[in-house]
Amino acid sequence: MAIELRRLTENELELLMNWRMREDISRMMFNTVKLTMEGQLKWFEKIKNSDTEIRWIIWKDEKPIGSLYFVDIDRKNLRCESGWFIAEKDGLDFSQVIAIQRNSYDYAFDVLGLNRVYGLIIDTNKGLPRMLELCGVRKEGVLKQHVIKDGVPHDVIVVGITKEDWYNQKKNITYEKIRIE
């Protein structure tokens, strides 16, 4: 049951595009999009060598199952925004989902040398804040009616974890280590 994160390549752009346009995934995002391969290729050219963005495909047993990303990587203030989704849930258990999240903190703090990881969660994504709490993430606030999606205002929940909080928590837990490219 090997899980790993591999950097996004041009080969996965169509897969990522199709996942991102699925209703079950797009309803958890800030906007509903209609993507094209031409647009994907332009976007990929822009981000592939970025210093402020890293995108991975999550693989399980050599099958792509989702995506995880760090954006707005700020090396001066030592922080980034993180987000992810699982598109193919078959055979994935909750402990593996938690391990993906925890390993992403190891990468942010140990490899990138950041001090803080934060996330922005639309209010329609009811389960994610609770799952992130289990990983040591704290709710930091709510941006009231911050996003208008399909004409409807939505609150955005701000969550985050610092390196210090992660290291303190990490002493008392075990989790599957995964390879992150």
Side-chain angles (χ1 to χ4, degrees):
M1 302 278 196
I3 296 175
E4 63 182 323
L5 273 62
R6 297 181 196 160
R7 294 279 179 117
L8 176 66
T9 69
E10 194 173 315
N11 295 334
E12 293 96 23
L13 289 179
E14 185 172 8
L15 176 67
L16 186 62
M17 175 183 76
N18 291 333
W19 282 342
R20 180 62 179 85
M21 290 190 302
R22 277 182 19 193
E23 193 280 330
D24 61 317
I25 293 170
S26 70
R27 78 170 175 253
M28 304 299 181
M29 304 290 183
F30 286 4
N31 52 30
T32 303
V33 294
K34 294 287 183 209
L35 302 172
T36 65
M37 275 308 295
E38 179 183 342
Q40 288 291 93
L41 289 166
K42 286 180 185 175
W43 168 75
F44 185 68
E45 279 305 309
K46 195 169 82 174
I47 67 145
K48 72 179 179 183
N49 295 314
S50 174
D51 290 336
T52 61
E53 189 165 339
I54 303 171
R55 297 202 177 245
W56 293 274
I57 295 295
I58 304 166
W59 294 78
K60 180 175 186 268
D61 299 330
E62 294 301 316
K63 178 185 173 198
I65 63 166
S67 177
L68 187 139
Y69 59 84
F70 290 162
V71 294
D72 296 327
I73 299 170
D74 181 338
R75 298 195 190 274
K76 179 180 180 229
N77 294 298
L78 302 177
R79 67 176 181 237
C80 76
E81 179 184 345
S82 178
W84 57 275
F85 62 84
I86 302 294
E88 310 299 333
K89 297 175 177 83
D90 289 346
L92 189 69
D93 67 43
F94 191 68
S95 68
Q96 292 170 317
V97 173
I98 296 288
I100 292 166
Q101 189 69 31
R102 289 175 171 163
N103 278 272
S104 77
Y105 302 149
D106 287 339
Y107 190 90
F109 300 133
D110 299 339
V111 176
L112 297 180
L114 301 178
N115 184 58
R116 171 176 155 70
V117 175
Y118 66 93
L120 303 172
I121 305 167
I122 195 165
D123 60 7
T124 55
N125 197 342
K126 303 289 186 201
L128 186 57
R130 177 66 187 124
M131 191 280 294
L132 291 174
E133 267 182 45
L134 296 173
C135 294
V137 173
R138 293 191 177 131
K139 180 178 175 181
E140 297 177 344
V142 176
L143 303 171
K144 299 301 284 180
Q145 298 185 13
H146 191 68
V147 171
I148 305 293
K149 183 173 180 180
D150 301 324
V152 178
H154 290 274
D155 294 347
V156 172
I157 302 157
V158 180
V159 297
I161 188 167
T162 64
K163 182 181 204 173
E164 179 182 13
D165 288 344
W166 174 238
Y167 284 178
N168 285 335
Q169 182 186 116
K170 188 175 167 176
K171 293 180 222 173
N172 303 314
I173 58 173
T174 58
Y175 53 97
E176 177 185 352
K177 298 295 182 183
I178 64 174
R179 187 177 90 74
I180 301 179
E181 185 177 81

